[in-house]
Amino acid sequence: MVMKKNITILLILIGLIQTISGQNIIPPYTNSFDNISDTTGWSHYAIVGTDNWEIGTPNGTYFSSPLSSPNLWATKLDTFFTPNSIMCLETPSFDLSDTLDYILAFSHLSNTTYSADGGNIEYSIDNGNTWTLLYGSTNTQVNWHGNAQSSTLGQPAWTGSFSGYKFSRKSLSFLSGQNSVKFRFKFGGSSTDKEGWAIDNFMIVENTHNIIGINGTTYDAAENFPTFGVDASYYYDALVPKSPLNLITEFYISNDSIFDAGDTLIYTKTTGG
């Protein structure tokens, strides 16, 4: 009998405490959408046509897997979005009244027709009565859209198809002092054969050094398996320079998917910033 062990990459992150002031959330706030019940304050609707936003495990051709398993938000999990529609995914309301420098960050994947379809982010400081495009100078944002327009939205947007997930972030320093701020992912398109826009790993956190780990990957191997290879995925998510960072990644061998005292450290990798 061949015994198998699960080799699990466990990326240990510092827990963030989420505070609610009235109905407004005081950052830091993170949501990987992997717990479907953890959608308090999120809503979605159509401005024009049909609302296709849904949360779950993707099973499409282009949207075949989330960045962090098992779930994400998408303008369809398993087929094409409804053409000639403008639809919004709206966040909870956030209290940014303290003096910290926050960023909004998220990962996303796009499958659209360039210049026709696209998505962007808007913000509101009056409980959604009016909305303004979230955009600014290049030194306040990373992997943000440029001036390329989506003809359906009539606004600058991320448009076209990505080769993989993008990690985008934007400074919210100009909103410091506002005690009720909402954001919405606005998507519009006219194509009949595209899957649209997928959103994962949304966060509003302080603009500081921040390493984000992707969920652990499990490999099966025989008990005396001589060698094996492991890929660990993580990304840097901040606007401050990353050059001073030294990253230490620890790899543990485990018989299950839970990190505990019974797991054995097998390798440590140090990477310069």
Side-chain angles (χ1 to χ4, degrees), residues 66-80:
L67 182 65
S68 65
S69 296
N71 300 320
L72 49 63
W73 280 99
T75 52
K76 272 294 188 182
L77 291 172
D78 57 4
T79 187
F80 307 138

Side-chain angles (χ1 to χ4, degrees), residues 58-214:
N59 190 33
T61 301
Y62 206 85
F63 300 161
S64 58
S65 63
L67 182 65
S68 65
S69 296
N71 300 320
L72 49 63
W73 280 99
T75 52
K76 272 294 188 182
L77 291 172
D78 57 4
T79 187
F80 307 138
F81 67 83
T82 304
N84 304 315
S85 296
I86 298 176
M87 60 198 78
C88 297
L89 172 65
E90 189 173 310
T91 73
S93 183
F94 296 95
D95 183 348
L96 306 181
S97 59
D98 60 29
T99 58
L100 294 177
D101 179 16
Y102 290 115
I103 62 169
L104 180 152
F106 68 105
S107 57
H108 56 133
L109 189 59
S110 174
N111 175 226
T112 69
T113 298
Y114 186 80
S115 80
D117 318 324
N120 60 31
I121 300 178
E122 296 178 324
Y123 68 92
S124 173
I125 58 174
D126 58 7
N127 200 35
N129 291 315
T130 58
W131 294 91
T132 303
L133 184 67
L134 185 62
Y135 189 64
S137 58
T138 55
N139 66 336
T140 67
Q141 55 202 29
V142 175
N143 284 335
W144 215 252
H145 61 75
N147 292 319
Q149 298 266 329
S150 158
S151 60
T152 304
L153 294 179
Q155 292 176 307
W158 286 281
T159 183
S161 294
F162 302 165
S163 59
Y165 279 94
K166 286 184 181 290
F167 310 108
S168 298
R169 54 258 197 205
K170 173 77 174 73
S171 171
L172 300 180
S173 60
F174 71 101
L175 291 171
S176 179
Q178 296 290 338
N179 62 8
S180 182
V181 185
K182 286 186 172 185
F183 302 91
R184 69 179 184 183
F185 295 86
K186 186 168 73 170
F187 176 80
S190 58
S191 299
T192 58
D193 60 350
K194 300 294 183 182
E195 295 178 29
W197 202 16
I199 308 296
D200 207 352
N201 292 2
F202 174 87
M203 62 190 72
I204 294 179
V205 294
E206 189 176 356
N207 183 23
T208 186
H209 292 139
N210 194 18
I211 298 296
I212 307 299
I214 309 305

